[in-house]
């Protein structure tokens, strides 16, 4: 049965990558949460999509240049709607505190890996281990070297190859990277990929699907997970089972 993962929480309804967005994705019944992680100047794992805080907060600048205390002072809700004033950029550990005892998959997208953030993979793996979340987490990234690094640190942590354009020989590449899953942009999924992944028992977790007819179609292909901004609508499609 295809799972529904909430993209940056339930970003169709709430300010992306905030606690209120994650909590409501869970309330809507999402089986998983997708979020994005960066490293502050003083080494804290901060949940935010962009490298800069400008678009989604009242601040300005790069996360890598700001200390956790400064980042936590920012308002990450008002840009979306005045009623979400006071939402903060979450620390990853705050999200873990909330999800640790819930039956929810946590898909952590590592933004830019060590290219931008020296040692981010080590810090992330340590936090996952500290919370004993190894079984529930899958780390994805467009920076596939970061995924290799994660596996070098702890081979038990699952990784997923994020990509935007179709890959040549995706299963061979998956093996090369040592990853566990493919995270393709949904447009690139074709019959061949479905057949090959099914044959080799490789999960497909695809993004970002906001067209509900497409959710239905992908569920009929039995992909492992669909990442969407609207978990409630996507779950409704699956419940209707008009496949
Ligand atoms: O993880 C899937 C998706 O979130 C990747 O793209 O830009 O929304 O982080 P983006
Ligand atoms: Ca993401």
């Amino acid at each position: 049965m295809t799972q529904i993962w909430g993209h940056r929480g339930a970003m169709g309804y709430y300010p992306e990558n905030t606690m209120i967005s994650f909590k409501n994705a869970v309330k809507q019944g999402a089986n998983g949460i997708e979020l994005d992680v960066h490293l502050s100047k003083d080494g804290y794992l901060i949940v935010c999509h962009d490298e800069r805080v400008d678009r989604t907060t009242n601040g300005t600048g790069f996360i890598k240049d700001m200390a956790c205390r400064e980042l936590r002072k920012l308002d990450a809700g008002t840009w979306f709607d005045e009623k979400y004033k006071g939402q903060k950029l979450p620390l990853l550990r705050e999200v873990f505190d909330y999800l640790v005892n819930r039956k929810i998959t946590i898909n952590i997208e590592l933004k830019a890996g060590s290219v931008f953030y020296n040692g981010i993979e080590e810090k992330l793996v340590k936090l996952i281990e500290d919370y004993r979340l190894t079984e529930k987490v899958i780390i994805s990234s467009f920076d596939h070297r970061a995924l290799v690094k994660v596996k070098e640190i702890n081979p038990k942590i699952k990784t997923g190859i994020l990509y935007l354009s179709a890959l040549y020989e995706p299963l061979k590449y998956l093996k090369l990277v040592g990853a566990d899953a493919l995270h393709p942009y949904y447009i690139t999924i074709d019959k061949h990929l479905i057949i090959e992944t099914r044959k080799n028992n490789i999960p497909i977790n695809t993004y970002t699907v906001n067209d509900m007819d497409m959710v239905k179609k992908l569920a009929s292909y039995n992909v492992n997970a669909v990442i969407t901004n609207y978990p409630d609508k996507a779950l409704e499609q699956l419940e209707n089972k008009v496949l």
Side-chain angles (χ1 to χ4, degrees), residues 7-8 34 36 49 107 109 111 140 142 162 183 207-208 227:
H7 189 226
R8 309 182 205 167
E34 189 268 358
D36 307 284
H49 180 268
N107 176 195
E109 184 187 343
K111 287 291 187 197
S140 59
F142 288 107
L162 253 179
H183 288 217
Y207 71 98
T208 302
I227 302 172

Side-chain angles (χ1 to χ4, degrees), residues 35 37 92 96 106-110 124 128 137-140:
L35 53 82
V37 162
L92 184 60
F96 282 1
I106 313 170
N107 176 195
I108 301 168
E109 184 187 343
L110 208 43
L124 178 57
I128 293 167
V137 160
I138 179 158
I139 299 176
S140 59

Side-chain angles (χ1 to χ4, degrees), residues 15 26 35 40 44 60 67 76-77 79 81 90 136-137 148 165 180 202 243:
V26 171
L35 53 82
S40 69
Y44 287 86
T60 175
W79 73 275
D81 193 310
K136 283 165 71 168
V137 160
V148 172
S165 303
D180 304 277
I202 300 299
L243 299 178

Side-chain angles (χ1 to χ4, degrees), residues 87-151:
Q87 286 296 313
K88 294 181 191 315
L89 294 176
L91 284 163
L92 184 60
R93 66 164 191 242
E94 197 181 349
V95 184
F96 282 1
D97 282 332
Y98 173 65
L99 292 176
V100 70
N101 292 319
R102 290 184 159 80
K103 215 175 151 248
I104 300 278
T105 299
I106 313 170
N107 176 195
I108 301 168
E109 184 187 343
L110 208 43
K111 287 291 187 197
S114 301
V115 177
F116 230 62
Y117 304 111
N118 192 19
I120 192 169
E121 296 88 353
E122 286 84 353
K123 284 195 194 299
L124 178 57
V125 169
K126 174 148 191 337
L127 195 69
I128 293 167
E129 289 170 350
D130 288 350
Y131 274 81
R132 300 179 193 277
L133 279 169
T134 309
E135 292 298 317
K136 283 165 71 168
V137 160
I138 179 158
I139 299 176
S140 59
S141 188
F142 288 107
D143 175 0
H144 304 159
R145 289 169 301 184
L147 302 179
V148 172
K149 209 160 170 193
V150 164
K151 283 289 185 188

